[in-house]
Amino acid sequence: MEKINLSEVTSEHLYVSRRKLLVGLGALAASTVILSACRRGGITPPPPPGTDFCDSAYASKDTDELGAKLTSCQDVTHYNNYYEFSTEKEDVATLAQNFKTSPWEVKVGGLVNKPLTFSLDDLLRKFPPEERIYRLRCVEAWSMVIPWLGFPLAALLKEVEPTSKAKYVRFETIYDPNQMPGQKRGILDWPYVEGLRLDEAMHNLTILATGLFGKPLPPQDGAPIRLVVPWKYDFKSIKSIVKIDLVEEMPVSAWMAASPNEYGFYSNVNPDVPHPRWSQSSERRIGQFERIKTLLFNGYADEVAYLYAGMDLKKFF
Ligand code: MTE
């Protein structure tokens, strides 16, 4: 068993604008960019010319709603945590480049009246993705600002009609060791599992992302569909999802199983609750030098604090 290096765990970023990007679902399904207003100026650094994903990176704005600059497309797609491929962030893009993401199905079941299996095309047709610029705060104390394309998880959950017994949502990543070399090693208990309380899952900020920078997700960022929960450390944002179950008991996530003292179920961004091995009071934006203060719930407190009213956030970390 390979020893896990927990200091390598990362997170992600979050949301800002809810302005809809007029991205045709067909564009995503066909992996074709239909947006013509491609622009890289201001989004740094520009990738080398050629066929790089970032050549046609698109975002409707240069900043999030707090004025934070978008992270460069190059960094978003070349600094990744995806342990199924590698524990080295810089290696994931190369190792994941041939990952097969089509055909793809997502099974939604458990405590629901209407269990359903969706192909990716079904999902894109039913729930046309829109742009959400979210800050993403890694548990390792770095962060990014990313223009995702996605749709509210709530829309999908409403389709399957959770029963009154359903209290939590459990997510699972694909298990395919032939394609994912990391799954041949005992880094984590595969497949990667994550969970949310049902009200967290139904919150409008919680999305299933199918793209970023105006294009379908590249494999290293969780193609073809991954979760994004902007007020939580980004390991909650599970990649390449194949299964979503409504359940009664709190799911045990892959990181809770690996190190329960360090990773709790909630994992809300909280500058006042240090990780047992480091402070969470500040962070470094990837691409910038100076450290900035970490905000409670990653700056989304106005929208989500009510979900945790009366809870001791030190206990429920
Ligand atoms: N999902 C799976 N299946 N496997 C992983 O290793 N890493 C998590 C999260 N989702 C991970 C995952 C962590 S630690 C982070 S920081 C984010 O994905 C990274 O997402 P990004 O590469 O798009 O920034």
Side-chain angles (χ1 to χ4, degrees), residues 10-283:
T10 339
S11 76
E12 242 157 71
H13 34 50
L14 295 26
Y15 151 116
V16 171
S17 141
R18 287 185 210 172
R19 290 177 51 186
K20 294 183 182 172
L21 237 200
L22 300 174
V23 177
L25 62 97
L28 281 177
S31 298
T32 311
V33 186
I34 55 161
L35 297 165
S36 55
C38 299
R39 128 186 108 157
R40 275 183 276 128
I43 302 172
T44 57
T51 55
D52 190 282
F53 177 93
C54 293
D55 278 356
S56 49
Y58 172 86
S60 67
K61 297 183 182 174
D62 290 336
T63 62
D64 72 6
E65 84 283 10
L66 299 182
K69 275 184 72 174
L70 297 192
T71 303
S72 77
C73 175
Q74 197 65 9
D75 284 339
V76 172
T77 56
H78 291 84
Y79 192 75
N80 304 102
N81 271 349
Y82 201 166
Y83 281 15
E84 283 86 339
F85 291 100
S86 175
T87 53
E88 298 297 323
K89 299 182 209 326
E90 286 85 357
D91 293 349
V92 174
T94 307
L95 289 169
Q97 64 185 340
N98 296 321
F99 179 56
K100 199 164 172 279
T101 57
S102 174
W104 194 272
E105 283 187 343
V106 182
K107 263 198 168 102
V108 191
L111 301 172
V112 299
N113 292 325
K114 288 192 348 197
L116 288 169
T117 298
F118 297 89
S119 69
L120 190 73
D121 287 352
D122 292 338
L123 289 172
L124 295 171
R125 209 172 302 120
K126 253 186 160 343
F127 312 109
E130 63 189 55
E131 188 190 55
R132 298 271 188 115
I133 300 174
Y134 281 155
R135 299 176 295 284
L136 221 122
R137 169 61 158 77
C138 177
V139 75
E140 293 171 333
W142 50 263
S143 58
M144 296 191 189
V145 185
I146 301 179
W148 299 102
L149 298 174
F151 59 89
L153 173 61
L156 175 64
L157 296 180
K158 281 176 195 155
E159 265 313 281
V160 297
E161 299 177 8
T163 68
S164 58
K165 276 195 154 177
K167 300 283 182 293
Y168 295 91
V169 186
R170 181 183 182 280
F171 305 85
E172 225 177 85
T173 293
I174 191 171
Y175 180 70
D176 188 352
N178 287 334
Q179 288 203 80
M180 299 173 134
Q183 288 182 335
K184 292 185 175 154
R185 296 180 292 151
I187 308 166
L188 288 172
D189 207 1
W190 309 112
Y192 198 99
V193 168
E194 259 306 338
L196 294 174
R197 221 170 55 191
L198 186 54
D199 56 353
E200 298 176 322
M202 296 297 287
H203 195 284
N204 181 51
L205 287 180
T206 304
I207 59 167
L208 286 172
T210 54
L212 47 78
F213 281 102
K215 304 172 75 171
L217 282 177
Q220 62 269 33
D221 286 286
I225 185 161
R226 55 96 54 89
L227 186 69
V228 183
V229 193
W231 70 95
K232 292 179 181 281
Y233 292 118
D234 68 358
F235 60 87
K236 296 294 284 182
S237 293
I238 180 171
K239 296 177 167 179
S240 306
I241 297 169
V242 288
K243 203 160 175 277
I244 301 178
D245 281 317
L246 282 289
V247 296
E248 193 168 3
E249 304 289 328
M250 179 184 284
V252 176
S253 71
W255 284 105
M256 288 164 74
S259 187
N261 295 335
E262 296 185 308
Y263 304 106
F265 176 78
Y266 284 95
S267 300
N268 291 317
V269 175
N270 190 337
D272 300 327
V273 178
H275 184 279
R277 289 184 284 129
W278 60 83
S279 164
Q280 294 289 23
S281 65
S282 69
E283 67 202 58

